[in-house]
Amino acid sequence: ISTRTSTAMAMEIAKSCPGINFDVFSRYVFAYDRQEIKKIRNIRLIDSLSDAFVGLTEYDALMTFGCSVHPAAADALCLSLVCRTLGIRRFDVQHGLFQTGVNLFDLSTGPREEAIFTDKQITWPEYGIPLGKKGRESRGRNIVVSSNLHWAVYSDRDRSVFKRSVLMLAKSFPATSVIWRLHPAEFVYSTEHHPKKPANYPVWHNIHYLTHDETDSLPISATLERAAVLVTSPSTAIIDAERANVPVISYSNAIFEKLFASFDRPGTFRTWQECLDMVAKLNAGGVVDVSTGLKFGVDRDKLVVLLTEAARETDSRRQNPSMEAAFTMAISMAKQLGVSFS
């Protein structure tokens, strides 16, 4: 696992399947999450890739959260390719509301050959979102903004419209704080300074940007505790808002239009005026926000059956090459896919 959301989903899956033991490998687990993991009896946390390979031939299945050729998923891909060589059954859990290779094929990647990455995709519509829903007693007062404008699916016009929408919100609601949470990849990095907000993002007296350290250390749920509404670009932040019972509206473009149309309620805007109108309607008690219609909580019975059958399948097809040979084959396959490992 490589993200905070993936960590939460892994914990929820383990708690839902108490009769199955899980080894969880991640280089990136926050101290708070680490303490929570220790409370779950059927999880053992592994910190290094080499430790993850120890005893790999004894595993019944591998479960990854977003296995792809993206550099952040290099560890998952390496483990997946080794397990493929060893004949170990592999599952990739959907980890984002809009995920390349699951329900989104953007212009930068195109469709991929699923069999290379996983034997089966565990999708949210089929198995439920492996996250518990968290309600709240009172509504916050801030407008919270979440963005991921670095993504290749956006045009310059998309980025301009979204930024303009936030600026117009700030001007239209001058007494309301607009808290903007940038994606880590949106920050400007240099060797001389801490990561900074890009210069071409709007500035107004009531727009407050979370710093890189705040974004990195605080889960989005902490920011949403203060939110009256979340305004976002298409992202899993929509699910975070639904979990917290925070109304959410999202920018959309032609790439996302069909995906939003499949939800119970799209809740999208395409212009800054539509954004302002939707926030005003929400403040007046209107129902115009996004409703995905997805079920929170994993389908325990279906997942247990899947993993039990996987153990039997792995036993029947398990191969016995040396770990060195399996690892060499996996690295070779990864290089063919354009992935390198440090």
Side-chain angles (χ1 to χ4, degrees), residues 165 168-169 172-173 249 268-269 271-289:
S165 298
M168 295 306 294
L169 278 173
S172 300
F173 300 94
I249 61 173
T268 58
F269 62 92
T271 67
W272 66 263
Q273 187 62 61
E274 289 178 353
C275 178
L276 259 62
D277 291 345
M278 293 178 76
V279 171
K281 288 178 181 178
L282 285 170
N283 284 340
V287 182
V288 295
D289 53 319

Side-chain angles (χ1 to χ4, degrees), residues 167-182:
L167 178 60
M168 295 306 294
L169 278 173
K171 290 183 176 181
S172 300
F173 300 94
T176 301
S177 293
V178 178
I179 311 298
W180 196 331
R181 182 187 176 95
L182 299 173

Side-chain angles (χ1 to χ4, degrees), residues 258-272:
K258 289 184 178 179
L259 295 174
F260 276 109
S262 68
F263 295 163
D264 284 358
R265 192 168 56 246
T268 58
F269 62 92
R270 300 287 290 269
T271 67
W272 66 263

Side-chain angles (χ1 to χ4, degrees), residues 99-139:
Q99 185 176 328
T100 303
V102 177
N103 56 9
L104 178 67
F105 298 98
D106 66 42
L107 301 177
S108 65
T109 59
R112 70 189 192 189
E113 180 55 53
E114 291 293 340
I116 295 176
F117 299 90
T118 186
D119 297 310
K120 179 176 174 58
Q121 196 85 48
I122 297 178
T123 62
W124 294 351
E126 184 179 3
Y127 287 88
I129 305 174
L131 292 170
K133 194 164 185 178
K134 300 178 179 179
R136 59 176 186 167
E137 296 180 359
S138 60
R139 187 173 175 179

Side-chain angles (χ1 to χ4, degrees), residues 137-153:
E137 296 180 359
S138 60
R139 187 173 175 179
R141 298 181 178 180
N142 300 331
I143 295 174
V144 173
V145 177
S146 175
S147 60
N148 55 358
L149 301 182
H150 65 289
W151 203 0
V153 294

